[in-house]
Amino acid sequence: QGCVQKYIVKNYFYYYLFKFSAALGEEIFYITFLPFTYWNIDHSVSRRMIIIWSIVMYIGQVSKDILKWPRPLSPPVVKLEVRTNAEYGMPSTHAMAATAISFSFLIATMNQYKYPFELGLVAAFVFSTLVCLSRLYTGMHTVLDVIGGALISAVLLVLLYPAWDMIDHLLLTSPFCPLLSIVVPLVLCYNYPKLDYYSPTRGDTTTILGAGAGATVGFWLNNQYAMPAYTSANFQLGFPLITSKIAVVVLARFFVGIFVVLLTRQLMKSVVLGMLGYRYKFPIGDLEARRRLEVEVPYKFITYSSVGFSATVIVPLLHELLGLM
């Protein structure tokens, strides 16, 4: 795996630009941007992005552990991250996620909102490019890893686009949706490719599939019982300029929602880990025990499916209760 070298920062602009760009492909971005689109822009746009993100990321994570291509060696490369160094390199899931999220957002909104298509295309390209370049700057991927990830994501978008409406309709109306949304991701998590050493890819994959599963159940429940729906007509992505009143509502929705989401995550982590620790006789702080299949999968799946469900069902109800609809 190589080692993480000590380094001296000589260009702080590039350093902070690409460190920030790298964060756009991590949990902190997913847990803020994806719910934000659901609460403040459009349900249909958010649904499509979350489904595409779940599929693309699962394929990317599994591909890494099947191909087993190593990351760049350090030295000579200087690596600025530690956690993901245990993962394999090809393809770059940061590049896959950035490409999938930015271009699925563009495709889902270009016919619904009044904004220049060229502007949206440039924004999607700049976003995905910054994330891709950040993987090179931080020393976590080769050029081939990044190009491979972006191309795989683009191919998946092209293949899935014709079925978007059909998939969305089934997720909202099929009586089997809640069951399949839980069972299928769980089966995929428990049958994840086995490695010779521990890698965070299985846990990250479980996190993504769990969040997608909880959100999908929430989508279905909202459609069945006519839960609060946000009026996207009020939010034209800045065209015309958002009024101060709307801006206040948008920010209020976001901060209330993020508070509930983070509270749900922390609460469920504590409860589920406590129950699993009691069941399998290990202290909560035992990192090795938490990496075991029978602990890691239920712990992360239950926690993040609760987060996805909370973001799509509990938060909208709270928004309505607070008069933020």
Side-chain angles (χ1 to χ4, degrees), residues 30 34 49-58 97 101 208 211-212:
Y30 303 144
L34 294 176
M49 289 175 60
I50 290 172
I51 297 305
I52 292 294
W53 168 68
S54 301
I55 294 172
V56 164
M57 288 298 287
Y58 173 75
I101 288 177
I208 292 163

Side-chain angles (χ1 to χ4, degrees), residues 13-280:
F13 174 76
Y14 286 142
Y15 179 78
Y16 287 113
L17 172 65
F18 290 123
K19 288 285 282 185
F20 173 77
S21 300
L24 298 179
E26 297 172 359
E27 181 184 348
I28 185 66
F29 175 72
Y30 303 144
I31 210 169
T32 53
F33 179 72
L34 294 176
F36 179 87
T37 61
Y38 191 78
W39 301 328
N40 289 309
I41 298 178
D42 192 292
H43 280 189
S44 65
V45 172
S46 181
R47 288 197 303 268
R48 285 163 170 76
M49 289 175 60
I50 290 172
I51 297 305
I52 292 294
W53 168 68
S54 301
I55 294 172
V56 164
M57 288 298 287
Y58 173 75
I59 291 175
Q61 296 285 74
V62 169
S63 297
K64 279 186 179 183
D65 291 335
I66 291 176
L67 294 174
K68 298 183 179 180
W69 286 21
R71 290 183 182 271
L73 291 178
S74 175
V77 166
V78 176
K79 295 184 177 180
L80 305 187
E81 296 177 11
V82 177
R83 179 182 179 276
T84 56
N85 194 37
E87 299 178 6
Y88 288 108
M90 178 66 165
S92 166
T93 47
H94 273 71
M96 292 184 71
T99 303
I101 288 177
S102 58
F103 283 95
S104 62
F105 182 82
L106 172 66
I107 295 168
T109 59
M110 63 184 183
N111 293 323
Q112 296 190 44
Y113 295 92
K114 297 177 181 179
Y115 67 89
F117 172 76
E118 294 79 7
L119 180 62
L121 184 62
V122 169
F125 181 78
V126 168
F127 177 88
S128 55
T129 300
L130 280 175
V131 175
C132 289
L133 290 177
S134 75
R135 307 317 288 157
L136 302 179
Y137 181 87
T138 55
M140 304 312 296
H141 285 285
T142 65
V143 173
L144 188 58
D145 294 342
V146 170
I147 293 175
L151 286 178
I152 292 171
S153 192
V155 169
L156 289 172
L157 274 174
V158 171
L159 293 176
L160 290 170
Y161 177 69
W164 270 20
D165 292 337
M166 181 185 70
I167 294 172
D168 191 50
H169 178 73
L170 289 174
L171 289 179
L172 293 179
T173 60
S174 173
F176 303 106
C177 174
L179 179 63
L180 292 176
S181 296
I182 299 297
V183 172
V184 172
L186 268 177
V187 170
L188 293 176
C189 292
Y190 275 108
N191 290 277
Y192 193 82
K194 292 181 173 60
L195 297 176
D196 297 330
Y197 63 91
Y198 178 79
S199 165
T201 48
R202 184 183 66 200
D204 291 346
T205 303
T206 305
T207 294
I208 292 163
L209 293 183
T216 302
V217 173
F219 298 152
W220 181 86
L221 194 65
N222 288 343
N223 187 66
Q224 297 299 312
Y225 296 98
M227 294 282 188
Y230 300 101
T231 306
S232 60
N234 292 333
F235 305 97
Q236 294 296 316
L237 303 183
F239 301 100
L241 293 176
I242 295 177
T243 65
S244 58
K245 180 179 178 181
I246 293 177
V248 169
V249 172
V250 167
L251 290 174
R253 288 180 182 175
F254 177 71
F255 286 116
V256 168
I258 287 300
F259 174 77
V260 173
V261 164
L262 295 179
L263 181 64
T264 300
R265 184 179 66 167
Q266 189 58 44
L267 179 63
M268 293 306 298
K269 274 186 176 182
S270 301
V271 171
V272 176
L273 266 181
M275 294 175 64
L276 290 170
Y278 177 80
R279 168 68 177 82
Y280 294 106

